[in-house]
Amino acid sequence: PILDSRQRIANMYNKKGNAWAVVTGGTDGIGLGICHNLAKQGFNICIISRTQEKIDKRLAEIKSLNPEIKTLAI
């Protein structure tokens, strides 16, 4: 069967469902979009950014997409 690119990424890198994605600048723009997409695929999300309040807010949003994932702020 043909898989779309998101399914291929999850199948290659997150087979066991415990892989982490580390995203710098993940509180806005493209970085935030990447976080949302990876969270939907079951990746745990670590955001590296300068503003703790923004990170916490975004991680709460991301966690709402998939409550089973783990999140980390740096």
Side-chain angles (χ1 to χ4, degrees):
I2 298 175
L3 302 174
D4 71 22
S5 62
R6 284 183 275 175
Q7 290 173 318
R8 281 198 308 267
I9 291 169
N11 286 340
M12 289 174 58
Y13 300 109
N14 196 21
K15 291 179 184 176
K16 296 180 183 179
N18 60 356
W20 282 85
V22 178
V23 182
T24 59
T27 58
D28 293 306
I30 294 170
L32 180 59
I34 290 170
C35 289
H36 281 264
N37 284 329
L38 291 171
K40 288 177 187 175
Q41 296 174 60
F43 285 87
N44 298 310
I45 304 294
C46 172
I47 294 180
I48 300 171
S49 188
R50 293 178 286 173
T51 311
Q52 184 68 39
E53 292 174 16
K54 283 177 78 173
I55 296 172
D56 294 338
K57 181 179 178 184
R58 299 304 189 218
L59 287 177
E61 288 176 14
I62 292 165
K63 188 102 170 147
S64 71
L65 296 173
N66 186 347
E68 297 175 5
I69 66 168
K70 297 174 188 166
T71 59
L72 180 64
I74 298 177

